[in-house]
Amino acid sequence: MLAAIALAAAVSAAPTATPADSRLSEKLDRWLVAADFRGSVLVWRSGAILLRKGYGLADRENGVPYTADTVFDVGSITKQFTASAILKLEMQGKLHVEDSIGKYFSGVPDDKKAITLHHLLTHTSGLDSDFAGDYDPVSRDEYVKRALASKLRSKPGDTHFYANSGYSLLGAIVEIASGKPYERYLRDNLFLPSGMKDTGYKLLAWPPERVAVGYHDGKRWGKINEKPWAADGPYWALRANGGISSTLDDMLRWHIALSGDTVLSAAEKDKMFRRQVSEGTGSDTFYGYGWSIGNAPWGGRLIEHNGGNGTFFADFLRFVDDNLVVILSTNDSEVKGGRISHALARLAHGEDVPVPKSGPVTVKALGTTGRDAVIRAWFDAYNAKGMEAMRAFRAAHQTARPGMSDAEREQRLTRMRDDLGQLEPVGTVEDAEGKVSVRAKGSNGPTGTFTFMFAADGKVDGIGVEIGN
């Protein structure tokens, strides 16, 4: 109730908004219009809503506008709801995060008996990411069976590897420990106490015109709730790790709930937002329970998570020491939502940020000479078996960079190969002084942009990778 009252006050913040707030709101709006943004945005600072607005169309075929009330797929932001459910069950005395999974699943093989709920929550279980496609008709018990029968990537607790499967297993544990279906438990124990009446899978019957249609490379992909699902929600390759739908207002209600004790105690929130494990070698961000924790560009804590399926994208940024929140959704694969959400945060913090280029990206065929030839050689080395080809590429075409051992580089390469599969260069999307950006499609599904930074001698000085948004 308190969360709902707090949001109601925030939504009606116009009477208390200062002239500076109004000028900033206009600046944010103009920036998004100039960037040709399609989707919805909410920017909230110190109890006042600076911007709450939709842009473009939620349904192009029927001319339905994307509004601040449009329902959108939050993707992997779902994971924080699953993590919260586990912590709520711990508060209720029904489980402990240090429990081994053998307490909830029968027939756990020896190599997985050491896996705990904590390992699943922090992506350190050693499990692979997925054991079925998002829309494959795989039941809970079948999914658990596949996970338990799989070969581990690493020993439990050794390595952070982002794994959707771990959160699907946590969703199954929510059902087993609570005796309730996953969505029902979340709705009764998390969503409704937070005032969130527009968040879920199937328990809500939104009017069709409120639900965003996704568009991939300009073509209609459809609505998330139009895809093949079970009667009570998505099949288990997606359930509890993604696929929940929500609204801007409900996500702000969730932020407010987490800022107090509406759903979780201080002790449980300490576990959720603790820097539990580094997200990678040399990374300055850490994974908690369903959240990534790092630092804002200007200092202070940034607690965030995004989600996407290559068509929809959502971002949830909580600059907790600045009392600043940015929530963004888009239904267009061509919108770089992650860049835009972080740009909005910088604008709200008082910085000037150039407007990104808008419109479809022009893709030019990759050539065979000069820098293009070096880039082709990198993709050939990536796609080759083993490490010898990549070692030869580094020796011939890459500047030596301190701070990371060859073993660490090869470990990263192995993970990338596992995640993306073979890479097929689609073409160049940017060719500028000192860098070339190339779009490539992975055989496992994801499309990424690989930015090759070149030194004056023509050698590769660094490679940036951006997958999807």
Side-chain angles (χ1 to χ4, degrees):
M1 179 61 74
L2 291 177
I5 292 172
L7 179 64
V11 171
S12 60
T16 61
T18 67
D21 288 337
S22 297
R23 289 193 296 271
L24 179 55
S25 299
E26 293 170 1
K27 181 178 181 178
L28 294 170
D29 184 40
R30 289 196 304 270
W31 192 94
L32 286 165
V33 171
D36 192 26
F37 175 68
R38 283 90 71 193
S40 62
V41 165
L42 190 152
V43 181
W44 182 90
R45 187 180 65 184
S46 300
I49 290 179
L50 299 178
L51 185 66
R52 177 184 176 276
K53 189 174 180 180
Y55 299 81
L57 295 175
D59 182 342
R60 299 175 188 174
E61 290 75 18
N62 294 297
V64 178
Y66 211 122
T67 75
D69 297 314
T70 294
V71 175
F72 55 86
D73 177 14
V74 305
S76 284
I77 293 173
T78 298
K79 290 179 174 67
Q80 64 194 246
F81 298 138
T82 301
S84 296
I86 292 292
L87 293 172
K88 188 71 172 182
L89 285 163
E90 185 170 63
M91 285 176 62
Q92 295 167 344
K94 296 181 178 180
L95 55 72
H96 298 284
V97 295
E98 298 301 336
D99 289 342
S100 66
I101 61 173
K103 184 174 179 179
Y104 305 96
F105 305 133
S106 61
V108 176
D110 289 344
D111 66 332
K112 299 179 182 68
K113 286 182 177 178
I115 296 176
T116 65
L117 276 58
H118 170 83
H119 292 143
L120 299 176
L121 287 161
T122 56
H123 299 294
T124 57
S125 66
L127 289 167
D128 261 323
S129 180
D130 300 287
F131 299 107
D134 282 354
Y135 309 114
D136 291 348
V138 178
S139 68
R140 186 188 84 184
D141 291 348
E142 172 62 22
Y143 195 83
V144 171
K145 180 181 176 182
R146 292 186 186 187
L148 295 182
S150 68
K151 181 180 179 181
L152 289 180
R153 301 172 55 92
S154 58
K155 291 181 180 180
D158 274 7
T159 304
H160 173 85
F161 175 77
Y162 190 91
N164 290 319
S165 60
Y167 273 77
S168 291
L169 295 185
L170 288 167
I173 290 169
V174 168
E175 294 197 340
I176 292 165
S178 71
K180 292 184 177 182
Y182 171 82
E183 184 184 4
R184 172 55 66 187
Y185 182 82
L186 266 61
R187 185 162 176 79
D188 291 346
N189 290 272
L190 304 179
F191 298 154
L192 292 182
S194 303
M196 300 164 66
K197 298 181 179 179
D198 268 330
T199 301
Y201 281 138
K202 296 276 280 189
L203 293 177
L204 301 169
W206 298 286
E209 64 273 12
R210 285 198 63 196
V211 181
V213 176
Y215 295 88
H216 189 85
D217 291 339
K219 298 178 181 178
R220 189 185 195 279
W221 181 87
K223 300 178 181 181
I224 187 69
N225 60 1
E226 292 176 343
K227 299 302 176 181
W229 276 14
D232 61 344
Y235 294 109
W236 279 86
L238 181 60
R239 192 176 307 207
N241 72 67
I244 279 181
S245 291
S246 189
T247 63
L248 294 177
D249 288 350
D250 264 14
M251 294 308 296
L252 180 57
R253 290 184 176 102
W254 181 238
H255 163 75
I256 293 169
L258 291 176
S259 299
D261 59 2
T262 301
V263 291
L264 294 177
S265 67
E268 300 298 343
K269 288 189 296 180
D270 177 70
K271 295 177 184 179
M272 174 174 271
F273 300 130
R274 188 182 303 162
R275 297 173 187 237
Q276 299 278 7
V277 58
S278 172
E279 293 194 273
T281 303
S283 174
D284 58 359
T285 62
F286 296 79
Y287 208 80
Y289 287 176
W291 289 92
S292 177
I293 299 103
N295 297 315
W298 52 84
R301 288 171 297 161
L302 169 57
I303 300 174
E304 63 179 318
H305 212 292
N306 61 36
N309 61 3
T311 299
F312 289 100
F313 177 80
D315 213 352
F316 190 11
L317 310 179
R318 303 174 68 227
F319 298 86
V320 292
D321 295 321
D322 297 272
N323 216 8
L324 171 65
V325 174
V326 177
I327 303 164
L328 173 147
S329 76
T330 180
N331 63 339
D332 189 333
S333 68
E334 294 178 352
V335 172
K336 298 299 182 184
R339 294 181 183 178
I340 290 173
S341 60
H342 284 266
L344 292 173
R346 290 169 57 196
L347 287 163
H349 190 254
E351 300 180 32
D352 289 323
V353 182
V355 175
K357 296 178 181 178
S358 62
V361 175
T362 301
V363 180
K364 183 182 71 175
L366 193 63
T368 58
T369 60
R371 296 192 300 186
D372 284 7
V374 173
I375 292 170
R376 282 188 179 277
W378 183 88
F379 281 107
D380 288 343
Y382 171 93
N383 289 327
K385 292 183 179 180
M387 297 294 170
E388 291 304 319
M390 188 59 77
R391 290 169 186 164
F393 174 87
R394 287 203 303 266
H397 300 294
Q398 202 159 353
T399 58
R401 295 183 65 86
M404 184 182 296
S405 68
D406 287 345
E408 289 173 323
R409 289 189 179 91
E410 291 176 2
Q411 185 181 49
R412 282 190 172 188
L413 176 61
T414 299
R415 292 177 186 171
M416 189 182 298
R417 285 169 169 170
D418 288 345
D419 291 347
L420 305 180
Q422 295 276 291
L423 287 173
E424 179 185 355
V426 177
T428 301
V429 295
E430 183 181 9
D431 192 338
E433 183 178 355
K435 70 175 183 179
V436 178
S437 295
V438 176
R439 181 171 292 173
K441 182 171 178 56
S443 60
N444 290 348
T447 297
T449 300
F450 295 76
T451 299
F452 295 81
M453 311 299 294
F454 284 90
D457 61 1
K459 289 190 174 183
V460 175
D461 195 38
I463 302 173
V465 182
E466 182 180 6
I467 304 301
N469 279 282

